Amino acid sequence: MLVCRRMTTWSSGCSLRVSPGDARALLRVFSSLSCSGVIFPSTRRSNTFKQHLLLSSNRIPISGSHLFPRLKPVEFWKCMSVGPDRGNMAVIDTLHHLHDPDSLSYLSQAEASAIDEELMGSMGFSIDQLMELAGLSVASAIAEVYRVEKYKHILVICGPGNNGGDGLVASRHLFHFGYKPTILYPKRTDKPIYKSLVTQLETLSIPFLDEDQLSSASLKDYNLILDSIFGFSFHGNARPPFDKILQLLRDININTNTQIPIVSVDIPSGWDVELGDKDGLGLKPDMLVSLTAPKLCAKTFRGSHHFLGGRFVPPGIAEKYNLKLPPYPGSSVCVRIGKPPSVDVSALRENYVGAVLLEEHINKDPFKQFQEWFEDAVAAGLTEPNAMTLATATSEGHPSARVVLLKGYDHRGFVWYTNYGSRKASELLSNPWASLVFFWDKLHRQIRVEGKVEKVSDEESDEYFHSRPRGSQIGAIVSRQSEVLPGRQTLDDQYKSICEKYADGSYIPRPNFWGGFRLLPVSIEFWQGRESRLHDRLVFTREGVDDDQWRMQRLSP
């Protein structure tokens, strides 16, 4: 049994205080955390355990409980116990609580200014470095929430200071992400850094808007507004021309016909950095991207999306100011803080605009038409465009579905590979009729295929099996797909055993319980999303089971 007495976090990283227990279970916990150290009680038994753990991993420093005497740990997770019935495997969510706004540090205006001064002083950062990191964070947060297909045209409004510089940098990154930004920069500065940022945008042919061109009517040309007017150093009332700009932005969303999401950089313009929108004259953005750490006013933010950007805070700064910041996932430069907005599922809808599918345009050979659309999906950069939903049924008609990967297609049909002992395989062997669905949401396209399934030849299965990486070949041998396992460790041990067996690089024979299936289609339907749900649906039906003649019909959406 593994018992976590307390899980604590310091500014320098995440540490655990645990009782001695199972090293393997602890290592699983550590591998899921951003751990800088593990603290054990100073006992003879724990010293033995520490030696065991050190031998198991050279990545995690382990020490006695006398370390970090000056740091005050903040308990952030309840004690928990994992017993043998859970396979001695602890699964602890260390991210959720840190995304809770109440667990984060919020900076005053003085603290934010002091941190900036230290970053550009003893920490060696330059102002253009910080702007670059901040602008990239803002652009990345926008791309995570507002898809380029729907929010392509962005109006970026920049103020005269550093916040405006962040907006200029974000515009450049948004351009490279595929968006079409337009810049409103009414009060420019002669400082070289800002001139360089403007030059960079002009070389990309990003348009700049004159102040007198901004109106309620012109705003309708944009899908999103980036507010980078005022930052945390702003105080007092907005002066011309920004007072009129803020008034216009406040007014646009009153008219429900012209609602445009607003994203604010660090501070919603018009807000007091500590008190928030105390006079009711500031913006009410849909997204706030806080930088370095949220400012005190962010506690009053009620928009749908709150992100933290700027993955550059040195440990020394975090320790000195006792900053509690969330871990950034993977290589991301931004992280969502707070809870995602609640969603009304019934209100979710996508307005399909663009492509059409007409009889005179479609290839009369459905396999060639499939190839054209499949190549479009690949060219669009979709993740796993060969992913397809395979629906099967038992001999009694009980259905099941899952996503598998297409591994070949021609005029004979569509091929995938699996374990012949899996649920889908056993259903296909008792009831050979199945259907496939490809859905490429970025292109608003779907293909449905129905037909009879048969095994591919041993020669085809052998050829594909040996084209796979050796790890995948071994995985196919180890996995008795759909069978019950006593625990993950059983699978890992079996995999390790087979790896050792073929460690010399020798030929790995395909197991006879693994191979391919081919669906021989009797109908193929091409679906193209259209406006107002009046979609295009063209279906090809095979005239005879062994005939390559197809009949095409249009179906009502």
Side-chain angles (χ1 to χ4, degrees), residues 21 132 218 356 403 482 495 530:
E132 188 66 29
S218 65
V356 298
V403 176
S482 302
Y495 184 82
R530 295 290 303 276

Side-chain angles (χ1 to χ4, degrees), residues 155 184 209-223 225 248 252 260:
L155 175 63
L184 176 61
L209 192 69
D210 291 333
E211 177 192 344
D212 56 7
Q213 294 177 283
L214 186 66
S215 65
S216 297
S218 65
L219 284 173
K220 295 179 182 179
D221 296 332
Y222 303 101
N223 311 121
I225 295 171
L248 181 62
I252 59 169
I260 305 172

